[in-house]
mmCIF file of all heavy atoms in Angstrom:
data_model
loop_
_atom_site.group_PDB
_atom_site.id
_atom_site.type_symbol
_atom_site.label_atom_id
_atom_site.label_comp_id
_atom_site.label_asym_id
_atom_site.label_seq_id
_atom_site.Cartn_x
_atom_site.Cartn_y
_atom_site.Cartn_z
ATOM 1 N N ARG A 1 108.623 91.672 78.001
ATOM 2 C CA ARG A 1 108.288 91.595 79.426
ATOM 3 C C ARG A 1 107.249 92.605 79.900
ATOM 4 O O ARG A 1 106.456 92.307 80.800
ATOM 5 C CB ARG A 1 109.578 91.760 80.256
ATOM 6 C CG ARG A 1 110.580 90.636 80.011
ATOM 7 C CD ARG A 1 111.946 90.941 80.606
ATOM 8 N NE ARG A 1 112.920 89.925 80.197
ATOM 9 C CZ ARG A 1 114.237 90.063 80.311
ATOM 10 N NH1 ARG A 1 114.744 91.174 80.821
ATOM 11 N NH2 ARG A 1 115.049 89.094 79.903
ATOM 12 N N ILE A 2 107.250 93.798 79.330
ATOM 13 C CA ILE A 2 106.347 94.830 79.850
ATOM 14 C C ILE A 2 104.869 94.486 79.645
ATOM 15 O O ILE A 2 104.051 94.661 80.567
ATOM 16 C CB ILE A 2 106.694 96.207 79.251
ATOM 17 C CG1 ILE A 2 108.066 96.653 79.769
ATOM 18 C CG2 ILE A 2 105.634 97.241 79.630
ATOM 19 C CD1 ILE A 2 108.556 97.966 79.177
ATOM 20 N N PRO A 3 104.437 93.985 78.481
ATOM 21 C CA PRO A 3 103.021 93.635 78.352
ATOM 22 C C PRO A 3 102.567 92.612 79.390
ATOM 23 O O PRO A 3 101.440 92.692 79.898
ATOM 24 C CB PRO A 3 102.940 93.064 76.930
ATOM 25 C CG PRO A 3 104.054 93.727 76.195
ATOM 26 C CD PRO A 3 105.166 93.822 77.205
ATOM 27 N N THR A 4 103.432 91.652 79.721
ATOM 28 C CA THR A 4 103.086 90.666 80.742
ATOM 29 C C THR A 4 102.996 91.328 82.107
ATOM 30 O O THR A 4 102.097 91.020 82.910
ATOM 31 C CB THR A 4 104.132 89.535 80.771
ATOM 32 O OG1 THR A 4 104.225 88.960 79.463
ATOM 33 C CG2 THR A 4 103.735 88.455 81.761
ATOM 34 N N LEU A 5 103.906 92.245 82.392
ATOM 35 C CA LEU A 5 103.838 92.995 83.656
ATOM 36 C C LEU A 5 102.507 93.719 83.783
ATOM 37 O O LEU A 5 101.875 93.711 84.847
ATOM 38 C CB LEU A 5 104.986 93.999 83.713
ATOM 39 C CG LEU A 5 104.916 95.028 84.851
ATOM 40 C CD1 LEU A 5 105.134 94.355 86.198
ATOM 41 C CD2 LEU A 5 105.938 96.149 84.638
ATOM 42 N N LEU A 6 102.063 94.337 82.697
ATOM 43 C CA LEU A 6 100.827 95.117 82.744
ATOM 44 C C LEU A 6 99.592 94.245 82.930
ATOM 45 O O LEU A 6 98.521 94.748 83.275
ATOM 46 C CB LEU A 6 100.701 95.955 81.474
ATOM 47 C CG LEU A 6 101.795 97.024 81.299
ATOM 48 C CD1 LEU A 6 101.649 97.734 79.968
ATOM 49 C CD2 LEU A 6 101.759 98.020 82.446
ATOM 50 N N GLN A 7 99.732 92.937 82.709
ATOM 51 C CA GLN A 7 98.635 92.001 82.963
ATOM 52 C C GLN A 7 98.706 91.412 84.379
ATOM 53 O O GLN A 7 97.869 90.589 84.744
ATOM 54 C CB GLN A 7 98.701 90.863 81.939
ATOM 55 C CG GLN A 7 98.507 91.310 80.506
ATOM 56 C CD GLN A 7 98.850 90.215 79.501
ATOM 57 O OE1 GLN A 7 99.032 89.057 79.872
ATOM 58 N NE2 GLN A 7 98.950 90.573 78.237
ATOM 59 N N THR A 8 99.685 91.826 85.153
ATOM 60 C CA THR A 8 99.903 91.289 86.492
ATOM 61 C C THR A 8 99.183 92.133 87.533
ATOM 62 O O THR A 8 99.392 93.352 87.597
ATOM 63 C CB THR A 8 101.411 91.273 86.815
ATOM 64 O OG1 THR A 8 102.101 90.510 85.827
ATOM 65 C CG2 THR A 8 101.666 90.673 88.184
ATOM 66 N N PRO A 9 98.325 91.533 88.359
ATOM 67 C CA PRO A 9 97.674 92.300 89.426
ATOM 68 C C PRO A 9 98.721 92.832 90.408
ATOM 69 O O PRO A 9 99.501 92.069 90.970
ATOM 70 C CB PRO A 9 96.767 91.265 90.111
ATOM 71 C CG PRO A 9 96.592 90.176 89.109
ATOM 72 C CD PRO A 9 97.887 90.124 88.348
ATOM 73 N N ALA A 10 98.767 94.157 90.577
ATOM 74 C CA ALA A 10 99.760 94.758 91.465
ATOM 75 C C ALA A 10 99.350 96.173 91.819
ATOM 76 O O ALA A 10 98.709 96.865 91.027
ATOM 77 C CB ALA A 10 101.134 94.762 90.806
ATOM 78 N N ALA A 11 99.726 96.612 93.012
ATOM 79 C CA ALA A 11 99.452 97.984 93.422
ATOM 80 C C ALA A 11 100.304 98.963 92.632
ATOM 81 O O ALA A 11 99.867 100.049 92.269
ATOM 82 C CB ALA A 11 99.719 98.141 94.919
ATOM 83 N N VAL A 12 101.544 98.580 92.368
ATOM 84 C CA VAL A 12 102.483 99.396 91.594
ATOM 85 C C VAL A 12 103.180 98.490 90.595
ATOM 86 O O VAL A 12 103.664 97.411 90.945
ATOM 87 C CB VAL A 12 103.528 100.066 92.519
ATOM 88 C CG1 VAL A 12 104.673 100.654 91.706
ATOM 89 C CG2 VAL A 12 102.881 101.143 93.380
ATOM 90 N N ARG A 13 103.220 98.927 89.341
ATOM 91 C CA ARG A 13 103.942 98.196 88.289
ATOM 92 C C ARG A 13 105.059 99.113 87.775
ATOM 93 O O ARG A 13 104.792 100.258 87.405
ATOM 94 C CB ARG A 13 103.020 97.813 87.139
ATOM 95 C CG ARG A 13 101.832 96.926 87.538
ATOM 96 C CD ARG A 13 100.994 96.593 86.323
ATOM 97 N NE ARG A 13 99.772 95.917 86.673
ATOM 98 C CZ ARG A 13 98.622 96.518 86.988
ATOM 99 N NH1 ARG A 13 98.569 97.851 86.982
ATOM 100 N NH2 ARG A 13 97.551 95.819 87.300
ATOM 101 N N PHE A 14 106.264 98.587 87.745
ATOM 102 C CA PHE A 14 107.383 99.436 87.349
ATOM 103 C C PHE A 14 108.350 98.671 86.468
ATOM 104 O O PHE A 14 108.314 97.442 86.373
ATOM 105 C CB PHE A 14 108.103 99.988 88.585
ATOM 106 C CG PHE A 14 108.940 98.966 89.318
ATOM 107 C CD1 PHE A 14 110.309 98.871 89.095
ATOM 108 C CD2 PHE A 14 108.365 98.115 90.243
ATOM 109 C CE1 PHE A 14 111.081 97.928 89.766
ATOM 110 C CE2 PHE A 14 109.128 97.174 90.930
ATOM 111 C CZ PHE A 14 110.491 97.085 90.687
ATOM 112 N N VAL A 15 109.247 99.428 85.817
ATOM 113 C CA VAL A 15 110.280 98.854 84.964
ATOM 114 C C VAL A 15 111.639 99.357 85.433
ATOM 115 O O VAL A 15 111.823 100.557 85.680
ATOM 116 C CB VAL A 15 110.067 99.244 83.490
ATOM 117 C CG1 VAL A 15 111.290 98.874 82.646
ATOM 118 C CG2 VAL A 15 108.826 98.546 82.934
ATOM 119 N N SER A 16 112.581 98.434 85.553
ATOM 120 C CA SER A 16 113.974 98.789 85.802
ATOM 121 C C SER A 16 114.735 98.627 84.492
ATOM 122 O O SER A 16 114.988 97.507 84.048
ATOM 123 C CB SER A 16 114.582 97.892 86.891
ATOM 124 O OG SER A 16 115.949 98.191 87.067
ATOM 125 N N TYR A 17 115.047 99.725 83.871
ATOM 126 C CA TYR A 17 115.778 99.752 82.601
ATOM 127 C C TYR A 17 117.268 99.847 82.954
ATOM 128 O O TYR A 17 117.875 100.909 82.905
ATOM 129 C CB TYR A 17 115.270 100.945 81.804
ATOM 130 C CG TYR A 17 115.983 101.289 80.522
ATOM 131 C CD1 TYR A 17 116.508 100.325 79.666
ATOM 132 C CD2 TYR A 17 116.086 102.636 80.139
ATOM 133 C CE1 TYR A 17 117.139 100.679 78.481
ATOM 134 C CE2 TYR A 17 116.698 103.003 78.957
ATOM 135 C CZ TYR A 17 117.232 102.016 78.138
ATOM 136 O OH TYR A 17 117.850 102.374 76.960
ATOM 137 N N GLU A 18 117.799 98.703 83.361
ATOM 138 C CA GLU A 18 119.175 98.645 83.855
ATOM 139 C C GLU A 18 119.691 97.207 83.798
ATOM 140 O O GLU A 18 118.977 96.301 84.250
ATOM 141 C CB GLU A 18 119.238 99.169 85.289
ATOM 142 C CG GLU A 18 120.619 99.169 85.885
ATOM 143 C CD GLU A 18 120.639 99.253 87.393
ATOM 144 O OE1 GLU A 18 119.551 99.247 88.001
ATOM 145 O OE2 GLU A 18 121.740 99.295 87.958
ATOM 146 N N PRO A 19 120.879 96.977 83.252
ATOM 147 C CA PRO A 19 121.711 97.974 82.574
ATOM 148 C C PRO A 19 121.129 98.338 81.210
ATOM 149 O O PRO A 19 120.653 97.469 80.481
ATOM 150 C CB PRO A 19 123.045 97.244 82.405
ATOM 151 C CG PRO A 19 122.668 95.802 82.276
ATOM 152 C CD PRO A 19 121.504 95.629 83.205
ATOM 153 N N ALA A 20 121.158 99.614 80.904
ATOM 154 C CA ALA A 20 120.662 100.074 79.603
ATOM 155 C C ALA A 20 121.695 99.722 78.544
ATOM 156 O O ALA A 20 122.791 100.282 78.525
ATOM 157 C CB ALA A 20 120.409 101.579 79.642
ATOM 158 N N LEU A 21 121.334 98.799 77.659
ATOM 159 C CA LEU A 21 122.252 98.340 76.610
ATOM 160 C C LEU A 21 121.782 98.728 75.216
ATOM 161 O O LEU A 21 122.466 98.438 74.226
ATOM 162 C CB LEU A 21 122.417 96.818 76.688
ATOM 163 C CG LEU A 21 122.927 96.253 78.022
ATOM 164 C CD1 LEU A 21 123.036 94.742 77.944
ATOM 165 C CD2 LEU A 21 124.271 96.876 78.391
ATOM 166 N N GLY A 22 120.635 99.338 75.123
ATOM 167 C CA GLY A 22 120.092 99.778 73.843
ATOM 168 C C GLY A 22 118.922 100.703 74.114
ATOM 169 O O GLY A 22 118.393 100.751 75.227
ATOM 170 N N PRO A 23 118.486 101.467 73.128
ATOM 171 C CA PRO A 23 117.363 102.396 73.339
ATOM 172 C C PRO A 23 116.061 101.641 73.585
ATOM 173 O O PRO A 23 115.861 100.538 73.089
ATOM 174 C CB PRO A 23 117.318 103.182 72.027
ATOM 175 C CG PRO A 23 117.914 102.250 71.015
ATOM 176 C CD PRO A 23 118.982 101.484 71.739
ATOM 177 N N VAL A 24 115.185 102.248 74.379
ATOM 178 C CA VAL A 24 113.861 101.689 74.647
ATOM 179 C C VAL A 24 112.825 102.781 74.469
ATOM 180 O O VAL A 24 112.960 103.878 75.015
ATOM 181 C CB VAL A 24 113.761 101.102 76.075
ATOM 182 C CG1 VAL A 24 112.310 100.731 76.385
ATOM 183 C CG2 VAL A 24 114.655 99.882 76.228
ATOM 184 N N ASP A 25 111.813 102.471 73.680
ATOM 185 C CA ASP A 25 110.682 103.382 73.481
ATOM 186 C C ASP A 25 109.509 102.824 74.267
ATOM 187 O O ASP A 25 108.969 101.771 73.932
ATOM 188 C CB ASP A 25 110.348 103.479 71.992
ATOM 189 C CG ASP A 25 109.180 104.409 71.725
ATOM 190 O OD1 ASP A 25 108.874 105.240 72.609
ATOM 191 O OD2 ASP A 25 108.562 104.301 70.659
ATOM 192 N N PHE A 26 109.149 103.501 75.348
ATOM 193 C CA PHE A 26 108.008 103.065 76.141
ATOM 194 C C PHE A 26 106.741 103.531 75.444
ATOM 195 O O PHE A 26 106.508 104.732 75.267
ATOM 196 C CB PHE A 26 108.089 103.642 77.559
ATOM 197 C CG PHE A 26 109.197 103.042 78.376
ATOM 198 C CD1 PHE A 26 110.449 103.627 78.408
ATOM 199 C CD2 PHE A 26 108.982 101.883 79.102
ATOM 200 C CE1 PHE A 26 111.477 103.073 79.158
ATOM 201 C CE2 PHE A 26 109.999 101.316 79.850
ATOM 202 C CZ PHE A 26 111.249 101.909 79.879
#
């Protein structure tokens, strides 16, 4: 999902890592 978010025109792009069910390396 994050690469697609980064291709989305937006003033602010953010990630909600919730519920955290496993580790995530940004």
